[in-house]
């Protein structure tokens, strides 16, 4: 079974940084898309950043995120990261790691494209 376990969330002040991690195991495919979504209270879940393994293509789902966040991976540890700098209150929400068979184009930031999800890690920016 595919398992995704997020960690690294917390509470920070505006302008601060956090680094999220997602440890993956049990994935049956050699090539896949893996990424981060977030859901703010009362809002729909939205894509943040994705990478097509083995790390060739990276997609940031908004200009604001692209300018402040960096997605990366350590294939030796089967771990995905999201470095978040310049955090803003609008970044507050539950952050989820997700993965699926390779996803491309307009579907890459859509949550319905992903079959496997972690339990989430809370990020609060005040």
């Amino acid at each position: 079974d595919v398992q995704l376990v997020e960690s690294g969330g917390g509470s920070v002040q505006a302008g601060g940084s956090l680094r999220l991690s997602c440890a993956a195991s049990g994935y049956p495919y050699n090539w896949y898309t893996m990424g981060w979504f977030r859901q703010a209270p009362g809002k729909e879940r939205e894509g943040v950043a994705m990478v097509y393994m083995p790390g060739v293509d990276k997609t940031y789902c908004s200009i604001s995120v692209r300018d402040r966040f960096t997605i990366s991976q350590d294939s030796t540890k089967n771990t995905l990261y999201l470095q978040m700098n310049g955090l803003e209150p609008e970044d507050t929400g539950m952050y989820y790691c997700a993965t699926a068979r390779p996803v491309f184009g307009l579907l890459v930031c859509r949550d319905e494209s992903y079959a496997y999800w972690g339990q989430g890690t809370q990020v609060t920016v005040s």
Side-chain angles (χ1 to χ4, degrees):
D1 292 345
V2 176
Q3 290 192 332
L4 303 173
V5 180
E6 302 98 331
S7 61
S11 296
V12 297
Q13 292 187 340
S17 298
L18 285 173
R19 188 194 195 201
L20 306 184
S21 299
C22 174
S25 62
Y27 203 76
Y29 310 114
N30 291 325
W31 293 275
Y32 50 94
T33 298
M34 194 167 180
W36 294 94
F37 288 79
R38 66 184 180 186
Q39 187 166 22
K43 295 187 177 181
E44 293 185 352
R45 189 162 54 188
E46 64 175 358
V48 177
M50 286 73 191
V51 59
Y52 168 54
M53 295 299 191
V56 175
D57 296 324
K58 298 179 181 180
T59 299
Y60 294 92
C61 299
S62 72
I63 294 175
S64 174
V65 165
R66 183 193 65 193
D67 291 344
R68 300 180 293 122
F69 295 2
T70 301
I71 189 170
S72 63
Q73 74 286 341
D74 184 337
S75 299
T76 64
K77 298 180 180 179
N78 292 326
T79 300
L80 184 72
Y81 303 100
L82 185 68
Q83 178 67 43
M84 304 187 295
N85 299 326
L87 283 162
E88 303 170 350
E90 293 73 23
D91 296 315
T92 294
M94 186 69 78
Y95 282 68
Y96 298 92
C97 178
T99 190
R101 290 179 179 270
V103 184
F104 302 103
L106 297 177
L107 298 176
V108 73
C109 292
R110 302 279 296 271
D111 60 356
E112 60 263 35
S113 300
Y114 295 81
Y116 304 101
W117 293 83
Q119 81 289 348
T121 185
Q122 178 67 37
V123 171
T124 303
V125 185
S126 59

